[in-house]
Every structure is written in C-alpha cells, then in structure tokens.
Amino acid sequence: SKSIISCDRSHYFYDICSINGPTVFDPFESTFYDLDPTNKNETKFIPEKIRPYPRKWENFTMGRIKEITLTTGPISPTCLIQHKAQALVFSVGGYTGNFFHDINDGFLPLFITVNSLFPNQDFIFVISKLEDWWVQKYKDLLQSFSKHPIINLDKEINVTHCFPKATFGLVSHGFMTIDPKLTPTSKTLIDFHKFLATSYGTVPKPVRTLSQPLPVPRPRLVLTSRNGSVGRLILNQDEVKLIAEQIGFEVILFEPRKNTSLHESFGLIHSSHAMIGVHGAALTHALFLRPGSIFIQIIPIGAEGVSDLCFGKIARDMKLVYEKYKIGIKESSLVAKFAKKDSLVLKNPKALQEKGWSKEIMDIYLREQNIKLDLNRFRINLEIAY
C-alpha cells in the first residue's frame, strides 16, 4: 500500500498511530483523512481506528474513550483552518480529575511522547473529553509543552482543521515511571520533576518586614490529609501532628482538592524536607519533592502491592529517602468488622486478591478502611526521619 497511515499496536499500555503527511480532521465524523494525492485511488485501504488513551488493557475505561478513525480515499472534507504545526491527538477521559491519573495517564505519558517523538518540534494539542476546569488547572503545564491554543476534538463540530501530519495516542512506560532506555535522550523521572519545576517553580516568596523576627529554622514535614468520604483516614491525625511537632518538625497539613493551585502545592512541597501520608492519589505530589527528601508511605492492610506500584517506584526513581510503614492489623478499622470472621480479608489479603482485584475487594481495602496509628511505633519512624 502507498498509504502513509500507520499504527503500532505491539505495546501493553498503549497504541500509537500516525498520518505522516497532510491530513484534514472532520470533527463531525471523528475522522482524520490522509490528503496525499497519490493515495486518492487507494480503494482497498482499511481504515485504522484508535482510542488514544494509555490504559489499553482496561476494557471498561477504554470503552469510555472516543474512537478516532484514520482513513484515505477519494472523498474528504474541505479544509477550513490550515495549521503549520503538526497535531498530537489524545484523550483525557478515563479517570481525569484524580491527580494520580492526571499524571500517570496524562502528563507523564505526554512528557515521554514529546521527548521521544517530538524533540524540539512544534505541535498542536487536539484533545478529546476536554473540560474547562482541567485546562485552567493545568494551563501552565500545557503551555510548557505547546504555546498553541488547544483544539477541543469534541466541540469543533462544524470546523475542519488541516495539519501537515498527525500523531495519535500517548506513549507510556508503565505505572509512574520513565524508562531511560526507551527514550532517545535517556530521560528519567527526575527530568520530569525538573520539567515540573520549570512550570511551577516560580512561586513568589512572601516579603518579610524588618519588624518581623527571623524564625528558628525547623525541618518542614508535609502530612497529607484525606477528607471523610474516601476512606484511608488517619483517625488520630491530630496526635500524629503533635508528636511530629514535639520531635522538632514544622508540620503542614496538606489536603489537596480538585481546585488546589499547583503553584502553591509545588511551592509548599518542593521547599519541604519530608512528606508523609496514607496510600492515595495525594501522594502523587511526591513528584514535587527535591531528590534526597524523606518520603514515608503509610500502607493499609491489603494495599502492599498497589502501594509499591504507584508510589514506591516514584520514591526510588526520584532518589528520595523512602520508608514504608505497613500498618498492623490492630491499626486498621477493618479489625472491627472482620476479626471475628474466618476471613482472608485480614489473614491473607494477597490470597484474596489473587482471585481478582474486583470492585468489592477494592472497596474493602481502599474505601472502607481507616487507620489509627500506633503512636509509640510510628514515633520511631518520625524520630528517624527527623
């Protein structure tokens, strides 16, 4: 075939396709047409289809991602807007709104894709499932990648766009990781941290007047806090904070929300010396810590595997001083419900999960479980951290 449309479907996490030549996008049909005149008589071409979101293995999630068609042939729409820069087409559907997934399924694959396929090249984002709050929250990060206005794939119903070429999908190396062997310039997670710093590292410091005394410097500890509706709460959080302060830390409670400023979050965490929290999306902010900072992940019963997969690897790749605090059975609220039952929930969570990480099992360990830390035991970790 003379077609310049190609797809690589050999990867577990993602598919990636391209039209390596002039293309026009028809938003009404969610279709990109190859405009190469030498292909107009290509009658046997079978259109390629792609859902451009890097959770290829997860059928439930991928079913919510809009399918894009890539095709060639004698009929294509008239171009209304001509762009000089190529298009990078992807979706922010799926789990958008959860900070872990915004990074893991979005900006980390975007960073890998740009550094692997678009080094020092100009491109325009064409994004599906785009929401105004998401653009507003991440505008500085998005503009660090591309200065062009974003094209909302779902709203350009009556406008066709032409590009010199287009790429569809984002490259992922797995959960919260960058494999330097798979990027042309050997990028790592520390390079991603540096990239974040270029976007969010310009937080102005408050001006101190001459009348204000200089404080005695204390190492700052960020204690991530969770709201009451999502589980994995530290039930004795106030006591933990007090002990950390008695040891010598300046303790800042950090409870990020959907509209939390990333400039403020980056400024707080990047200037801190330690971060502690129960496994959850908020620990994604560990990417803001400086290499060499202390990171303690409190691991609930039944969450050992997912905790290491999501955040243990971040800590190692970021060269943080990482400590795992695995709670005991008596520190879990699940003991009240399951201790008297002949159940694997407490006795052998791994065996239970080997039957499948169903929603029911996930809810038990991640939504129904809260934590009351053994203060004598946890104090040792805080003293070592200090």
Side-chain angles (χ1 to χ4, degrees), residues 158-170:
N158 298 313
V159 180
T160 55
H161 295 261
C162 287
F163 305 92
K165 57 182 179 178
T167 299
F168 306 83
L170 298 175

Side-chain angles (χ1 to χ4, degrees), residues 5 78 85 111 157 178 235 297 304 308 335 346 350 366 368:
I5 297 174
T78 302
F111 180 81
I157 301 300
I178 300 175
L235 299 176
Q297 179 176 199
E304 291 87 347
D308 187 71
V335 71
L346 294 174
K350 187 175 180 180
L366 299 185
E368 297 177 18

Side-chain angles (χ1 to χ4, degrees), residues 233-249:
L233 306 178
I234 300 176
L235 299 176
N236 53 347
Q237 177 178 274
D238 291 342
E239 291 94 327
V240 173
K241 180 177 183 290
L242 179 60
I243 289 175
E245 289 172 339
Q246 291 172 346
I247 289 171
F249 283 108

Side-chain angles (χ1 to χ4, degrees), residues 16-178:
I16 195 156
C17 297
S18 64
I19 299 179
N20 193 26
T23 179
V24 58
F25 169 52
D26 181 356
F28 186 76
E29 299 289 344
S30 298
T31 298
F32 281 78
Y33 292 87
D34 161 26
L35 293 180
D36 188 336
T38 63
N39 292 328
K40 291 304 179 184
N41 295 322
E42 190 67 42
T43 58
K44 296 183 179 180
F45 180 79
I46 299 175
E48 296 280 4
K49 296 181 182 292
I50 182 172
R51 298 181 190 271
Y53 189 73
R55 294 183 76 89
K56 174 182 170 181
W57 78 93
E58 201 169 59
N59 293 334
F60 172 76
T61 303
M62 295 304 287
R64 304 198 303 255
I65 305 301
K66 176 176 283 190
E67 188 174 66
I68 309 297
T69 301
L70 288 60
T71 191
T72 187
I75 301 175
S76 60
T78 302
C79 179
L80 296 180
I81 301 177
Q82 179 70 55
H83 300 277
K84 293 182 180 179
Q86 60 191 304
L88 176 55
V89 185
F90 61 96
S91 175
V92 292
Y95 299 106
T96 298
N98 176 295
F99 188 58
F100 172 82
H101 290 287
D102 287 349
I103 299 298
N104 183 71
D105 304 337
F107 287 104
L108 202 53
L110 181 56
F111 180 81
I112 294 170
T113 304
V114 169
N115 282 279
S116 299
L117 304 180
F118 298 93
N120 302 315
Q121 296 182 42
D122 195 19
F123 55 88
I124 297 171
F125 290 136
V126 181
I127 304 179
S128 176
K129 298 290 185 180
L130 197 61
E131 296 187 37
D132 291 340
W133 72 263
W134 185 87
V135 175
Q136 184 63 29
K137 179 169 184 173
Y138 295 112
K139 64 179 180 180
D140 295 315
L141 200 54
L142 291 163
Q143 289 173 1
S144 295
F145 284 110
S146 174
K147 302 301 182 184
H148 297 283
I150 298 171
I151 296 174
N152 189 327
L153 187 147
D154 305 312
K155 291 187 177 180
E156 298 286 313
I157 301 300
N158 298 313
V159 180
T160 55
H161 295 261
C162 287
F163 305 92
K165 57 182 179 178
T167 299
F168 306 83
L170 298 175
V171 177
S172 171
H173 293 165
F175 283 97
M176 282 294 178
T177 190
I178 300 175

